[in-house]
Amino acid sequence: MQMKSKEKVGRRYSSRSVLPVVLAAGMLLLFLFILVSFFFAPEAGASFCPSIGCLRWKLGHPFFGAGDPSVELVRELRKAFVGDQDGHGGPVVVDQTSVDAAAESLDGLIAEMATTTSDYNQHMDVKTFVHKAKAMLLKMEHNVKKARLQGLIYRQLASIGIPKSMHCLTLLLADEYTLNSLARSSLPLPEYSSRLTNDSYIHIALLTNNVLAAAVVVSSTLASSTSRENLVFHIVTDKKTYTAMHSWFSLNPILPAIIEVKGLHHFDWPAHVNALVMETVEEIHRSSLAHHQLARVNEEYGRLETLNPNAFSLMNYLRIHLPELFPKLKRVIFLDDDVVVQRDLTDLLNFELNGNVNGAVSAGVIDDEGYQQCPGKEYGDYLNFSNPIISSPLLGLESQKCAWLGGMNVFDLQAWRRSNITQTYRHWLRLNRESGFHLWRMGAQPPSLIAFDGKVQLIDSSWHLSGLGRRIPEPQLLESAAVIHFSGPRKPWLEIAIPELLVFWKAHVNHSNEFIRTCKVME
Ligand SMILES: *[C@@H]1O[C@H](CO)[C@@H](O)[C@H](O)[C@H]1NC(C)=O
Ligand SMILES: *[C@@H]1O[C@H](CO)[C@@H](O)[C@H](O)[C@H]1NC(C)=O
Ligand SMILES: *[C@@H]1O[C@H](CO)[C@@H](O)[C@H](O)[C@H]1NC(C)=O
Ligand SMILES: *[C@@H]1O[C@H](CO)[C@@H](O)[C@H](O)[C@H]1NC(C)=O
């Protein structure tokens, strides 16, 4: 009888005695909680008490020992966190499953205890309780560590400069997408979605995985527009950037204009279209791989890769699939992500293309005698005319002809669909890889020059000023151009940006935005 009673008191608590124990444990845990939250708080720094293991000597403090009424509880707590009193055996090991299943907070644990004691025969095992408490503390510690680690990552990234601040921005926005339902709200709102395929609107397409650059393109377009309500932006990005991109534009609405953000994984193409696009994607991968292999043995190829990383970015090539990306549209204005718009783009939409596919600005100018001069780039700057395939009369290309500029084009998608342009482009991509990249240096523009040859309508040169970041154009040209294009290597978001030009871009970065501030963008 006596044994039984002792065992009962020793091993189990009846419902009558559970409450005070829970309360006492609550007090202890509250103390533990304060300890944990104080010593693990990010502000206190990792140096003070970095782990549960550090709590060991704190729990060895006499406060937990003599004179405490819940002797067994204390013993179990001590065993759980420190090990046996006599020094045999280490602390109780709590497995990951228990940690995962543990309560998130002390309140949660007490609530759990309350329900367990009411429907678990009104009895509770002290060991179970302590085990759960430890699992909870481990979980809390893990969460605090995780949060602190994330804080550290963001701070670290923010401190190294602009490109890192952009990584920081992408990470924060992607995080926001998971945490904040507002960041996941549908883009555009369902009531506007019919505009996405309505040709009465001005459709602007942007293929990019650079959130900040996309934000600048969109803001500058809006700022210079006289009819925002007619603008429909279409942003296509890769799967990895999708959530961050979506977050940004959900949290920064642009009404009365609307915007659609799509990841490449969202396109629901018919099988034959899907196969077509996948073939291009695979060709780009094959080309990049082949180029990397050449770069390993040939310094010249390696230098190209460091100088022009864009040449290896899939997003840069996918513009050749605009008709597939926007199957229901007749006309789109295509913008690169390194442009700033300074004038209303409405007139571009009504521009007469005379049956051509691509409206583009020429890299040349007509001089006073009516001759075409090429202060910009000629075909010969892009393509290797020493190669018989390129100089073949069958192809009919002239090395001295002025190239047209990519990055601000208006495309007639219907005329494009009737043409062979996409197939021709893909054919040449393969040919260049097979020739060991002897036809042109890897890049998206040279095969475009071949594929669109004869289908380009030149438009007034004031529409597009290219080459920023390679050179500094005349101030009056900079002021008057409808679209300025940082096509040179010194991109405005890089630390190597040219300060005189940076101001034109930076003016469209929203410095009161909390994400921009947290990541120290452009400070
Ligand atoms: C396209 O938009 C215009 C202007 O809002 C509207 O009048 C027209 O009915 C729309 N067309 C379709 C097919 O929804
Ligand atoms: C398209 O290209 C194929 C093969 O390159 C060629 O046989 C065909 O005639 C071309 N069609 C047009 C409309 O140019
Ligand atoms: C241009 O083509 C010729 C002939 O194939 C080749 O010998 C040369 O290396 C090529 N130039 C470049 C820069 O690839
Ligand atoms: C800039 O960001 C703030 C805060 O996110 C927002 O309230 C404001 O409307 C933004 N300004 C512009 C011009 O987008």
Side-chain angles (χ1 to χ4, degrees):
M1 183 69 207
Q2 217 187 347
M3 281 298 288
K4 199 180 170 194
S5 155
K6 190 174 180 217
E7 184 179 317
K8 191 173 179 179
V9 173
R11 291 191 42 80
R12 301 208 148 193
Y13 289 87
S14 71
S15 59
R16 255 183 312 141
S17 56
V18 155
L19 197 61
V21 168
V22 169
L23 284 180
M27 300 288 283
L28 270 175
L29 280 166
L30 196 63
F31 182 74
L32 273 180
F33 178 67
I34 291 166
L35 262 182
V36 170
S37 34
F38 178 74
F39 289 119
F40 293 155
E43 294 76 25
S47 58
F48 206 98
C49 206
S51 69
I52 286 280
C54 154
L55 271 179
R56 236 171 235 236
W57 67 263
K58 297 197 185 305
L59 280 170
H61 194 274
F63 179 88
F64 288 94
D68 195 299
S70 314
V71 181
E72 193 191 357
L73 182 63
V74 171
R75 201 167 57 225
E76 288 300 333
L77 272 174
R78 181 190 285 275
K79 212 151 95 191
F81 289 99
V82 189
D84 273 345
Q85 203 138 25
D86 49 10
H88 298 309
V92 170
V93 177
V94 177
D95 60 73
Q96 190 57 41
T97 327
S98 313
V99 174
D100 290 343
E104 296 278 347
S105 67
L106 188 62
D107 284 351
L109 180 69
I110 291 177
E112 193 184 318
M113 287 296 128
T115 48
T116 323
T117 50
S118 63
D119 57 31
Y120 192 65
N121 247 352
Q122 303 208 315
H123 281 92
M124 185 185 45
D125 192 309
V126 167
K127 280 194 176 130
T128 310
F129 175 74
V130 168
H131 191 263
K132 279 178 185 291
K134 182 165 182 184
M136 178 202 76
L137 287 173
L138 284 171
K139 188 171 193 170
M140 275 167 30
E141 183 193 20
H142 175 75
N143 287 346
V144 169
K145 264 194 185 155
K146 203 167 98 187
R148 191 176 55 211
L149 194 64
Q150 275 170 355
L152 277 178
I153 289 171
Y154 295 143
R155 228 174 309 147
Q156 178 78 8
L157 290 176
S159 70
I160 307 178
I162 293 161
K164 297 297 186 295
S165 71
M166 297 196 1
H167 286 300
C168 166
L169 191 66
T170 312
L171 282 174
L172 276 187
L173 286 165
D175 240 22
E176 194 69 10
Y177 187 85
T178 55
L179 299 174
N180 180 353
S181 61
L182 211 60
R184 291 192 297 272
S185 53
S186 103
L187 272 183
L189 293 172
E191 59 261 45
Y192 300 116
S193 60
S194 70
R195 289 193 198 172
L196 294 175
T197 52
N198 184 332
D199 279 301
S200 313
Y201 290 86
I202 302 167
H203 296 274
I204 299 174
L206 199 58
L207 272 55
T208 179
N209 42 32
N210 182 333
V211 179
L212 188 60
V216 167
V217 174
V218 171
S219 310
S220 63
T221 308
L222 291 171
S224 48
S225 169
T226 54
S227 53
R228 292 172 170 217
E229 64 283 1
N230 288 328
L231 295 177
V232 177
F233 293 91
H234 302 263
I235 296 193
V236 177
T237 191
D238 60 13
K239 193 173 174 182
K240 155 175 77 64
T241 319
Y242 170 72
T243 53
M245 193 72 84
H246 187 115
S247 269
W248 176 269
F249 289 105
S250 295
L251 298 171
N252 296 277
I254 60 166
L255 283 169
I258 66 157
I259 192 161
E260 165 190 48
V261 176
K262 263 177 127 170
L264 284 173
H265 55 298
H266 292 131
F267 286 89
D268 190 17
W269 286 302
H272 68 282
V273 178
N274 199 51
L276 191 78
V277 178
M278 284 323 292
E279 243 177 74
T280 308
V281 171
E282 277 163 24
E283 180 52 49
I284 307 299
H285 286 323
R286 267 197 295 273
S287 289
S288 299
L289 204 66
H291 204 280
H292 292 329
Q293 273 158 4
L294 286 169
R296 237 178 278 149
V297 290
N298 186 329
E299 221 176 279
E300 176 65 17
Y301 286 93
R303 206 164 28 242
L304 277 173
E305 292 190 4
T306 38
L307 281 178
N308 192 9
N310 279 353
F312 301 89
S313 140
L314 177 65
M315 288 320 279
N316 264 328
Y317 292 86
L318 283 179
R319 66 189 64 180
I320 202 62
H321 284 297
L322 284 174
E324 288 77 37
L325 293 171
F326 305 107
K328 292 186 176 150
L329 291 180
K330 289 187 181 144
R331 199 177 259 220
V332 294
I333 296 171
F334 174 84
L335 295 176
D336 265 351
D337 64 3
D338 47 2
V339 307
V340 171
V341 177
Q342 309 193 113
R343 201 199 295 164
D344 190 282
L345 296 180
T346 312
D347 289 343
L348 270 185
L349 195 74
N350 307 316
F351 202 85
E352 182 51 67
L353 291 183
N354 298 313
N356 287 309
V357 174
N358 177 359
V361 168
S362 165
V365 289
I366 308 292
D367 69 10
D368 296 340
E369 274 100 54
Y371 290 107
Q372 169 115 316
Q373 299 287 325
C374 250
K377 287 188 166 185
E378 304 172 349
Y379 274 51
D381 296 321
Y382 288 102
L383 301 163
N384 178 10
F385 278 86
S386 321
N387 190 293
I389 303 176
I390 294 292
S391 53
S392 153
L394 280 176
L395 196 57
L397 298 175
E398 297 164 46
S399 85
Q400 258 122 63
K401 194 170 144 188
C402 290
W404 50 270
L405 301 174
M408 200 289 305
N409 307 84
V410 48
F411 289 110
D412 181 333
L413 297 180
Q414 283 178 308
W416 189 337
R417 287 183 194 106
R418 288 191 300 266
S419 79
N420 244 355
I421 290 171
T422 306
Q423 291 90 313
T424 310
Y425 185 92
R426 286 145 39 98
H427 169 74
W428 283 92
L429 274 184
R430 201 189 68 234
L431 222 55
N432 191 38
R433 170 173 55 83
E434 289 170 354
S435 79
F437 304 94
H438 277 178
L439 307 185
W440 63 81
R441 299 169 158 195
M442 188 150 169
Q445 183 67 356
S448 293
L449 292 178
I450 300 176
F452 284 98
D453 194 51
K455 310 231 169 44
V456 179
Q457 174 69 43
L458 293 183
I459 59 180
D460 188 79
S461 63
S462 76
W463 277 102
H464 184 181
L465 179 64
S466 184
L468 276 70
R470 190 177 301 114
R471 60 196 171 89
I472 306 180
E474 307 276 314
Q476 69 269 25
L477 282 179
L478 265 174
E479 304 270 313
S480 64
V483 172
I484 55 174
H485 188 180
F486 291 79
S487 57
R490 297 175 71 176
K491 301 291 179 202
W493 53 82
L494 300 179
E495 275 175 287
I496 52 171
I498 301 176
E500 294 93 311
L501 297 176
L502 183 57
V503 291
F504 289 87
W505 191 80
K506 210 171 151 178
H508 299 284
V509 175
N510 183 353
H511 291 279
S512 37
N513 182 279
E514 61 167 300
F515 296 102
I516 299 282
R517 274 187 291 138
T518 308
C519 291
K520 304 194 190 311
V521 177
M522 301 268 122
E523 272 184 2

